[in-house]
Structure formats: C-alpha cells, structure tokens
C-alpha cells in the first residue's frame, strides 16, 4: 500500500514537470521579429527573363512589405522559425489587391533556398521558387 502511494506521489510531482519540459521547445523555436532580414529585400522573380518584365511577374520584398502585380501587403506580424536548411520566415499581412479598397489578411511564407533564391507562398504546399533580380536595370547581353 505504501509503495502504491509513493508511486502516485512521484507521478503527481513528475507529470507536470515532464509536461512543461516537453512543451517548452515547441514554443521557444518561433521567434517574433521586427522586420525581414536585409538579405531578403529586393526584387524576386521566377527566372531571369521574368526579371526583365518585373511589372508582371516580380515580387518586391522590403523590411515590412510585399508587393506584386496581384497585391500590395504590409506585414502585421513576422516570425522566424528554424528549418532543416536554415530559417523560415512567415508573415501575417494586410493586403490590398488592385482595384479594391478593403484590405484582407493573408499569410506568407519566405523560405531562403541559398543566397539568390527564395521560395514564397501562402503555405508550404504552394511555395514557388524565385531568384533575386539584379539591383539595377538589366544589362543588355
């Protein structure tokens, strides 16, 4: 009887400790950030040809915004989460589409794929690979 009571006391003490230890890492990995890192700022497009027609296909990222021909978004919240190949950034954004006056809330994911490539999309299933366009006007080759 005394052994059973000891086991219950140990379980009652250890269970809350185990739960707090096991749940802590999941919360600690997501870090709120004030802005996207400067390495992600700039013009991004699906390929080099699309950089020449940036008005239609490019995405422009800055510290706190995302702009494309389909939407203009200001970031409400930004977070950084470790991923297997580097950090993954996510944003909750207030977006306005051309011709509309009421903003909608959207989610965006930015997953760097190297120094000049990034995957962008509203969720992991629809990420699209983009490359960084030249900072100045395209060179004529």
């Amino acid at each position: 009887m005394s052994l059973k009571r000891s086991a219950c006391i140990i379980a009652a003490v250890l269970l809350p400790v185990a739960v707090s230890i096991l749940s802590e890492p999941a919360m600690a990995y997501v870090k709120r950030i004030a802005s996207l890192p400067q390495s992600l700022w700039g013009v991004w497009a699906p390929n080099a040809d699309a950089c020449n027609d940036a008005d239609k296909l490019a995405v422009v990222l800055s510290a706190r915004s995302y702009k494309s021909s389909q939407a203009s978004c200001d970031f409400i919240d930004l977070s950084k989460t470790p991923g297997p190949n580097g950090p993954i950034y996510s944003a909750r954004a207030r977006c306005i589409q051309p011709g509309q006056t009421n903003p909608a809330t959207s989610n965006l994911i930015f997953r760097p794929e190297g120094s000049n490539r990034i995957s962008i999309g509203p969720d992991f299933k629809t990420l699209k690979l983009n490359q960084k366009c030249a900072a100045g006007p395209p060179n004529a080759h």
Side-chain angles (χ1 to χ4, degrees):
M1 195 75 140
S2 152
L3 186 57
K4 228 180 198 180
R5 181 181 287 175
S6 296
C8 288
I9 291 172
I10 290 173
V13 170
L14 290 181
L15 184 61
V17 172
V19 167
S20 69
I21 290 172
L22 293 175
S23 64
E24 180 114 8
M27 293 172 27
Y29 287 135
V30 176
K31 180 180 178 185
R32 294 226 183 249
I33 56 175
S35 64
L36 282 179
Q38 193 167 0
S39 61
L40 300 184
W41 299 0
V43 179
W44 299 86
N47 54 53
D49 291 336
C51 287
N52 296 329
D53 197 8
D55 290 341
K56 293 182 183 172
L57 299 172
V59 169
V60 179
L61 294 179
S62 66
R64 303 234 358 119
S65 68
Y66 164 101
K67 298 198 184 336
S68 73
S69 63
Q70 299 166 354
S72 178
C73 305
D74 293 319
F75 302 144
I76 300 167
D77 293 311
L78 285 163
S79 62
K80 175 181 173 181
T81 306
N85 298 317
I88 299 168
Y89 301 92
S90 61
R92 193 167 56 103
R94 186 173 294 112
C95 301
I96 297 179
Q97 295 178 344
Q100 293 187 340
T101 56
N102 293 330
T105 303
S106 299
N107 295 313
L108 294 164
I109 295 172
F110 309 100
R111 185 174 67 195
E113 307 284 353
S115 62
N116 289 321
R117 296 178 352 146
I118 188 172
S119 291
I120 303 171
D123 57 52
F124 285 103
K125 292 179 183 176
T126 58
L127 290 177
K128 290 191 169 74
L129 188 62
N130 287 267
Q131 70 177 45
K132 199 165 204 175
C133 297
N139 294 334
H141 287 285

